[in-house]
Every structure is written in C-alpha cells, then in structure tokens.
Amino acid sequence: SGDDRRKLEAHRDLVRGVEQRLAFMEGLSCEPPSAELAKHDLSLNPETYLALSRSFFELTAAAFSCDLTRVATITLGLQPNDLCGAPPGHIHADYAHQVHRDRLAQDVMVRYGEVHATQLAELLSLLDSIPEAGGTLLDHTAVVWVGELGNGVHNFSPWPVVTAGGACDALPVGTYLRYGPQHPSPNVMFPFDVGPPHNKLLVSLCQGMGLSEIDRVGHTTARGRRGEVIDLTGPLHIPS
C-alpha cells in the first residue's frame, strides 16, 4: 500500500542517514585536542582563508556529533581583499572605517558580509547533514552569528544578529525582529539612543536552552552617556 511504501522509504532514508554519519565520523578521534593552539595567518589568500574556516566548521561539527563538547566559538579574521572584491588597501582602515562617507567602502563591506553569510550557510548545512535523535545536529544546536560592532565606525546602530537552529526556544526561527532605540548610548562619542543591551540576548539564549536560573550575563547595570542607569539583566522581550 501507499502507507507501507512511505514507511519503507522513510526507513531507507534513515538508514542512509546513519550510513552518511558513519562515513563522516570515519577516522575521527573523540580525544580532547591539545590545549596548544596553532596560529595561522588567515589573510594569506582566499583559498587559505576558506580552507581554514572550513576546517573549523568540520572540527566543530565532529566535536558536537560525538559530544566532546556542545559549545564552540568560531572567530574569523579579516578577509583577504580578493575574497570580498576590495581594491588594494587595508580592509579595516581603508574600507570598514569609511562606510559612512565612501560608496566604494560601502560596496566592499556589503560583499564582506555576503562572504560571511555564505560561510554561515555552509556551517548550517554541515550541521544539518548529521543525523541526531530523530532529527539533525542543527535541530539540537543554537547558532548565533554576530559581529563585535554594528559597523566599521565602531558604533552599534544597528547591531544585527542572526540566529539559527532548533535548540533555543526563546528565539523564534523564521522571524525578523527589530528593536528600536530604547536607551542612551553608553558611548559618549555617539549622542543617540540605541536598542536593548546585548546582555539580554545572551540571557535569552541561556534561558531558551534550559538554563532558566540565569538572569544575567556580565554586569547588571551600565551608565548612559548622561549618567542614566541601564538595566542589563533579564531576557529580551519577544513579541508574541
């Protein structure tokens, strides 16, 4: 019958998923790596940059899949100019710092972000290719993509955050949220209001992954540019 055929097809797909996972894990070791870290120059050329980044993605997926760890931070260095189509010059000083006054700099930094977005998609696809507990590794992982600044002139207006994966109940997937200015900027160099503190995002992540007792990450308060007290505790307000 049709139902039996679909059951057989689902069983075949599950077996194929197990086969793919075993092939992926073949030759991998779940022994903790050495604490000594090798330093690499990610700015050598586009091929080296992408190869090293991909190695970190694969190491992270392997570590997650065998429960060596379930928490990882991946930090990517400055992209080579050729990778994001930048003319000769320093990415930070000559382009990122000029985004408010130079159209070429804007175009370069848009392409810069597109490269990282492509890398994020690669990481998500890798996590989604590994079966785990009735779903995939991505279903049981929360992925957060952020930059340390909102833009190249060192302010946070806006500060974009992308979340993915199914492990955090507090941050709904498939949703665009924009938080308007709520607090005076703590940075006296930028006389405007900004959105909620990033501490609240971190609290939301903790609580959404089962750490309900966490109500703060880092400091509990900060000072606005005019001396106002800003509360850093509690999660983000997520509209229903």
Side-chain angles (χ1 to χ4, degrees), residues 29-119:
S29 171
C30 286
E31 295 298 320
S34 169
E36 184 161 346
L37 300 176
K39 294 187 180 297
H40 297 282
D41 180 6
L42 296 186
S43 64
L44 290 177
N45 56 64
E47 292 74 21
T48 301
Y49 183 93
L50 294 175
L52 289 173
S53 301
R54 191 170 296 116
S55 295
F56 277 109
F57 299 159
E58 292 174 353
L59 284 171
T60 298
F64 283 6
S65 65
C66 61
D67 275 328
L68 180 61
T69 183
R70 293 306 295 243
V71 181
T73 300
I74 300 174
T75 304
L76 300 175
L78 285 177
Q79 295 175 21
N81 289 44
D82 290 345
L83 189 59
C84 57
H90 194 277
I91 291 291
H92 180 78
D94 297 326
Y95 299 110
H97 264 201
Q98 311 301 322
V99 291
H100 286 305
R101 61 174 69 103
D102 185 84
R103 180 56 186 267
L104 174 61
Q106 294 173 11
D107 293 342
V108 166
M109 296 315 296
V110 167
R111 292 193 295 269
Y112 191 97
E114 289 174 347
V115 171
H116 282 326
T118 301
Q119 291 179 297

Side-chain angles (χ1 to χ4, degrees), residues 157-179:
S157 181
W159 183 59
V161 177
V162 176
T163 63
C168 183
D169 295 334
L171 300 173
V173 297
T175 303
Y176 173 80
L177 298 175
R178 182 184 184 278
Y179 292 91

Side-chain angles (χ1 to χ4, degrees), residues 141-165:
T141 304
V143 181
V144 184
W145 174 32
V146 299
E148 68 273 25
L149 298 166
N151 53 48
V153 292
H154 293 226
N155 69 33
F156 293 91
S157 181
W159 183 59
V161 177
V162 176
T163 63

Side-chain angles (χ1 to χ4, degrees), residues 187-199:
N187 191 333
V188 295
M189 295 178 61
F190 301 110
F192 45 73
D193 291 352
V194 294
H198 72 275
N199 308 66

Side-chain angles (χ1 to χ4, degrees), residues 221-234:
T221 60
R223 291 281 181 180
R225 64 182 182 278
R226 295 185 296 270
E228 303 89 341
V229 176
I230 302 172
D231 180 20
L232 306 182
T233 63

Side-chain angles (χ1 to χ4, degrees), residues 5-23:
R5 186 166 59 252
R6 283 188 288 273
K7 288 179 181 178
L8 286 172
E9 289 171 352
H11 178 73
R12 178 202 63 200
D13 292 341
L14 287 173
V15 172
R16 174 60 176 158
V18 172
E19 177 190 4
Q20 290 174 326
R21 177 169 180 160
L22 290 174

